[in-house]
């Protein structure tokens, strides 16, 4: 009766929970199961505290790093749930549900040699794209990373990405680091620099919806396929409540189950 | 320990069920639970034709509560019969199919689809969804009007012999009157509560948090109000009452049964803890043992006042 289990609710040990930027934290969770099963683009839903009803819902967070012993989550403190998460201590147990959803399809860059992945992040969107950059560079493919952030202080993962061998371009809203303006402007300029083989190039993006819509437009204009990780408000994370509906050209899809990664041209922007 | 409960013609192995809309059609929970061991699964409400549902965001969290405006998104009853119901029936649990319509005739047509090998163990009439509007009547929910409630229930009653549960809205002045109307229409039981009308506001953006502006509130935040509604209904009708609203633990189950519920449905908790059902039933059994009660049914309505 029981099918192959793909997701579980398990307690992982918090190995570290550290601040990496004014509003950003990284939590390392020890769990052999999550380490084995997680793929870039999938997410994990955590319960910030056990036995309380406020906050009630879990918090969905993209898988930021996959190691031998567990996974890491990178999160921005934006409200009561993430504020409490930031207070959790090393050594405590945390209730995790995952891995959930469908991740990025890497074959877009691995099936051809000399292929190039263009990764575009806005805000905390850098979280899942870092895991992807690790996977792409591990396969000896070129990764070009465009980081969009509010200010220079909000730019995270830049050093680690360079260490992986990724080329990194930064854009900030206020111009305190890199290009002043939208990260998608940089993507457009990069694409305009010369024709690219759509068989050998793929765009991957995660960030606020307007940014993803802009990426989808660039993808269409340049003919390069794009995959976007689409964060919709979620409750169950497993396809049961239909809360995370996304309108696509194939009708309503669920961000938690059919996504969060979708082909950019699937979504009705 | 005797946990059995009989409603209409159907006997359920235990009184802890999953509430409509919070458990999909069951299959999403197979990684976490043995569905066959559950007292019953009430499926996501289906309608005659497929429905697209409401615009996003469809969910927002509130203190100890969840506001939703899913809007009965579903693929229509014929598709449901083919793709989901056979699996659920085979799983071994009791399958309760929740149906809704925009008119009395649509409710009847839905019920008529559920016959022969597609007959579920029970039908739940959702006349109380806060997220859809329908034609006719001066109230925004069918279950706010005792006359319409009785009319719909009796029409469906005439069209099917299947055990019939009628799900009521708590957004009324006197739930007893509505429960009585359902009983007069021929319901085998009433289940309550569906969600409470509510809304949340993003003051910074000066906008409602939900795409549909308003929604239905569920979760532990509504439990005190749901207990009161169940007790009022229990005091008004002789058919069984099924308690729903904010159940998180086995003790909560006992609380609803003390207030008069013969069985309960857990909803929002499934979205937080997909294996919650197992824990809640285990806790409820532990409660009965602690209280030296051998039959769960002996608890019903035994509130000491
Ligand atoms: C699949 C998925 C993956 C995610 N991955 C990450 C991640 O890797 N790192 C990270 O920092 N965050 C991620 N998020 C967003 C994260 O879940 C929310 O920031 C978090 O739930 C906020 O909880 P809170 O209680 O702190 O704040 P709340 O008070 O719930 O929200 C604070 C603010 O954030 C907005 N918000 C909350 N959730 C969402 C959402 N899903 N979409 C758009 N706006 C939202 C609210 O409208 C509000 O303005 C992801 C979301 C999803 C659905
Ligand atoms: C996301 C969501 C979807 C729901 N969908 C339905 C539905 O389709 N039909 C229905 O009768 N009730 C629906 N409900 C109401 C629940 O079945 C239940 O009556 C209510 O949530 C109160 O119980 P709870 O506090 O345990 O969740 C829904 C509730 C939620 C949270
Ligand atoms: S979050 Fe429940 S269906 Fe996606």
């Amino acid at each position: 009766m029981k099918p192959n289990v793909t997701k579980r609710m398990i307690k992982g040990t918090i190995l570290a929970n550290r601040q990496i930027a004014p509003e950003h934290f990284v939590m390392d969770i020890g769990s052999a199961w999550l380490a084995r099963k997680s793929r870039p683009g999938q997410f994990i839903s955590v319960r910030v505290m056990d036995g309380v009803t406020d906050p009630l819902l879990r918090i969905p967070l993209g898988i930021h790093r996959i190691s031998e012993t567990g996974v890491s989550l990178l999160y921005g403190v934006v409200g009561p749930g993430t504020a409490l998460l930031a207070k959790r201590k090393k050594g405590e147990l945390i209730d995790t549900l995952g891995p959930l959803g469908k991740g990025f399809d890497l074959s877009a860059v691995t099936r051809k040699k000399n292929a190039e992945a263009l990764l575009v992040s806005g805000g905390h969107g850098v979280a899942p794209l870092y895991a992807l950059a690790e996977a792409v560079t591990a396969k000896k493919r070129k990764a070009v990373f465009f980081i969009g952030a509010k200010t220079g202080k909000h730019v995270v993962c830049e050093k680690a990405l360079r260490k992986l061998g990724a080329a990194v371009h930064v854009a900030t809203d206020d111009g305190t680091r890199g290009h002043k303006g939208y990260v998608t402007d940089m993507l457009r300029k990069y694409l305009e620099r010369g024709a690219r083989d759509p068989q050998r190039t793929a765009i991957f993006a995660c960030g606020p919806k307007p940014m993803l819509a802009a990426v989808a437009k660039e993808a269409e204009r340049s003919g390069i396929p794009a995959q976007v990780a689409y964060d919709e408000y979620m409750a169950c994370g497993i396809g049961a409540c239909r809360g995370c509906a996304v309108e696509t050209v194939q009708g309503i899809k669920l961000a938690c189950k059919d996504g969060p990664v979708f082909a950019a041209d699937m979504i009705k922007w | 320990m005797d946990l059995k409960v009989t409603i209409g013609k159907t006997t359920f192995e235990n009184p802890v069920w999953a509430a409509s809309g919070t458990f999909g059609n069951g299959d999403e929970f197979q990684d976490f639970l043995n569905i066959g061991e559950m007292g019953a699964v009430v499926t996501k409400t289906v309608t005659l034709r497929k429905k697209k549902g409401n615009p996003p965001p469809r969910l927002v969290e509130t203190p100890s509560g969840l506001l939703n405006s899913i809007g009965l998104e579903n693929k229509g009853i014929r598709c449901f019969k083919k793709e989901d119901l056979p699996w659920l029936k085979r799983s071994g649990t009791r399958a309760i199919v929740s149906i809704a319509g925009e008119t009395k005739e649509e409710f009847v047509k839905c019920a008529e689809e559920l016959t022969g090998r597609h007959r579920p163990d029970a039908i739940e009439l959702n006349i109380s969804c806060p997220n859809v509007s329908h034609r006719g009547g001066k109230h925004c929910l069918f279950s706010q009007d005792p006359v319409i409630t009785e009319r719909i229930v009796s029409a469906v009653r005439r069209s099917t012999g299947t055990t019939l549960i009628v799900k009521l809205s708590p957004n009324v002045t006197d739930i007893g009157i509505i429960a009585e109307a359902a009983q007069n229409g021929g319901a085998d039981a009433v289940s309550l509560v569906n969600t409470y009308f509510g809304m949340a506001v993003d003051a910074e953006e000066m906008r409602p948090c939900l795409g549909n502006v308003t929604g239905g509130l569920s979760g532990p935040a509504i439990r005190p109000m749901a207990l009161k509604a169940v007790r009022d209904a229990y005091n008004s009708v002789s058919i069984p009452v099924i308690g729903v609203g904010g159940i998180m633990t086995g003790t909560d189950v006992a609380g609803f049964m003390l207030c008069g519920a013969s069985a309960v449905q857990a909803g929002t908790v499934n979205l937080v803890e997909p294996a919650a059902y197992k824990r809640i039933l285990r806790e409820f059994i532990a409660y009965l043992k602690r209280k030296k009660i051998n039959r769960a049914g002996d608890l019903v309505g035994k509130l000491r006042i």
Side-chain angles (χ1 to χ4, degrees):
Chain A
M1 162 95 199
K2 214 163 199 177
N4 287 336
V5 172
T6 60
K7 48 190 180 289
R8 277 187 176 163
M9 197 174 82
I10 37 176
K11 299 254 162 130
T13 308
I14 300 175
L15 303 174
N17 189 22
R18 59 186 183 279
Q19 189 159 14
I20 57 159
E23 288 157 20
H24 289 98
F25 285 73
V26 171
M27 180 182 279
D28 302 332
I29 300 172
S31 159
W33 160 266
L34 289 174
R36 203 166 56 243
K37 295 286 180 177
S38 296
R39 300 288 174 267
Q42 288 189 296
F43 65 100
I44 290 169
S45 246
V46 298
R47 227 171 150 181
V48 295
M49 282 213 273
D50 290 339
V52 301
T53 60
D54 191 11
L56 179 63
L57 298 182
R58 285 171 186 274
I59 292 192
L61 294 171
I63 293 163
H64 171 55
R65 286 191 74 162
I66 306 163
S67 71
E68 306 250 297
T69 52
V71 294
S72 303
L73 307 172
L74 185 162
Y75 58 98
V77 173
V78 295
T82 44
L84 281 168
L85 196 61
K87 296 211 173 86
R88 295 297 308 267
K89 297 264 174 324
K90 179 177 165 178
E92 293 174 355
L93 294 178
I94 185 154
D95 181 344
T96 67
L97 175 65
L100 304 175
K102 295 205 170 72
F104 293 107
D105 177 7
L106 242 98
S107 72
V109 281
T110 52
R111 66 171 176 248
K112 289 264 162 72
K113 284 208 174 114
N114 306 323
E116 178 182 52
L118 309 180
L119 303 96
V120 191
S121 77
H124 71 246
V126 69
L129 289 179
Y130 180 83
L132 181 68
E134 275 195 331
V136 167
T137 50
K139 295 271 182 199
K140 307 265 183 290
R141 296 296 186 274
K142 191 176 165 197
V144 183
F145 210 114
F146 301 89
I147 301 179
K150 262 198 304 210
T151 75
K153 285 195 178 121
H154 291 84
V155 176
V156 293
C157 300
E158 187 184 351
K159 240 198 232 150
L161 284 166
R162 288 197 204 279
K163 230 186 204 165
L164 288 178
V168 184
H169 303 267
V170 175
T172 52
D173 293 346
D174 65 354
T176 45
R177 285 260 298 109
H179 168 79
K180 179 175 186 219
Y182 292 129
V183 67
T184 46
D185 297 342
M186 281 197 303
L187 173 69
R188 176 167 359 95
K189 278 194 200 125
Y190 189 83
L191 290 171
E192 280 168 355
R193 258 191 250 159
R196 279 192 167 65
D197 179 0
Q199 298 288 329
R200 286 193 160 76
T201 318
I203 301 171
F204 302 90
C206 183
K209 281 175 201 141
M211 183 207 112
L212 296 182
V215 169
K217 218 184 244 166
E218 292 310 322
E220 199 188 338
R221 201 196 325 252
S222 60
I224 294 170
Q227 299 172 33
V228 298
Y230 196 88
D231 295 355
E232 193 45 84
Y233 290 83
M234 292 183 181
C236 70
I238 59 171
C241 71
R242 310 204 71 81
C244 61
V246 181
E247 256 200 85
T248 74
V249 292
Q250 294 169 19
I252 300 266
K253 299 276 177 194
L254 299 176
C256 71
K257 192 178 165 191
D258 307 311
V261 177
F262 293 96
D265 56 8
M266 268 268 291
I267 293 178
K268 283 195 183 169
W269 296 101
Chain B
M1 176 90 47
D2 179 6
L3 295 174
K4 286 199 173 62
V5 45
T6 301
I7 290 176
K9 293 184 198 126
T10 314
T11 297
F12 299 83
E13 287 304 312
N14 73 62
V16 184
W17 308 351
S20 178
T22 63
F23 208 73
N25 292 317
D27 55 335
E28 287 86 358
F29 288 81
Q30 288 183 85
D31 281 354
F32 308 99
L33 290 168
N34 182 350
I35 308 295
E37 288 170 4
M38 300 182 63
V41 170
V42 188
T43 56
K44 169 82 192 158
T45 300
V46 284
T47 49
L48 200 55
R49 277 172 294 274
K50 81 171 187 197
K51 273 178 88 80
K52 204 173 129 189
N54 286 326
R58 292 177 169 187
L59 300 163
V60 59
E61 186 171 346
T62 60
S64 297
L66 170 64
L67 263 175
N68 88 78
S69 63
I70 310 293
L72 294 190
E73 183 206 331
N74 77 94
K75 48 192 174 188
I77 193 158
R78 295 208 181 94
C79 203
F80 164 80
K81 266 165 61 173
K82 244 193 293 173
E83 293 175 7
D84 302 307
L85 187 56
W87 177 86
L88 189 60
K89 288 186 68 161
R90 272 200 312 276
S91 74
T93 187
R94 295 276 179 267
I96 303 177
V97 175
S98 169
I99 58 172
E102 285 177 24
T103 60
K104 181 180 78 186
E105 290 68 32
E106 285 188 8
F107 274 96
V108 171
K109 275 192 193 143
C110 274
E112 285 171 352
E113 291 281 339
L114 300 169
T115 53
R117 65 193 172 88
H118 296 296
R119 182 188 294 277
D121 296 292
I123 291 174
E124 186 173 82
L125 291 188
N126 178 4
I127 55 171
S128 48
C129 180
N131 294 319
V132 289
S133 52
H134 30 64
R135 290 171 252 150
K138 56 183 187 296
H139 297 277
C140 65
L141 303 177
F142 290 130
S143 70
Q144 285 175 323
D145 185 328
V147 176
I148 291 180
T149 296
E150 184 171 341
R151 220 180 269 160
I152 293 175
V153 176
S154 63
V156 176
R157 177 77 292 171
R158 279 194 298 276
S159 73
T160 178
T162 307
T163 297
L164 197 59
I165 299 166
V166 179
K167 186 156 181 190
L168 305 183
S169 169
N171 300 297
V172 293
T173 315
D174 186 347
I175 191 84
I177 293 173
I178 311 289
E180 224 178 302
Q183 173 172 276
N184 293 342
D188 292 306
V190 286
S191 55
L192 61 147
V193 301
N194 206 321
T195 53
Y196 285 80
F197 286 135
M199 63 185 292
V201 172
D202 183 336
E204 227 36 69
E205 300 289 329
M206 300 168 113
R207 268 205 293 258
C209 293
L210 291 174
N212 199 43
V213 184
T214 66
L217 184 64
S218 66
I222 70 168
R223 194 191 308 132
M225 298 184 284
L227 281 167
K228 162 80 162 64
V230 164
R231 181 161 178 267
D232 288 350
Y234 177 70
N235 288 334
S236 309
V237 293
S238 54
I239 52 174
V241 175
I242 296 158
V244 201
I247 290 172
M248 300 294 284
T249 69
T251 323
D252 297 339
V253 175
F256 272 92
M257 292 186 74
L258 286 165
C259 287
S262 297
V264 301
Q265 299 173 4
T268 302
V269 69
N270 300 310
L271 308 179
V272 182
E273 190 189 334
Y277 173 82
K278 239 184 329 200
R279 174 183 58 76
I280 293 173
L281 184 62
R282 189 179 62 230
E283 289 169 351
F284 178 59
I285 292 171
Y287 168 89
L288 292 176
K289 282 190 183 146
R290 196 164 72 240
K291 292 289 176 191
K292 301 197 169 49
I293 297 167
N294 291 321
R295 266 191 76 243
D298 289 345
L299 204 59
V300 179
K302 291 295 155 54
L303 200 62
R304 293 181 188 155
I305 295 177

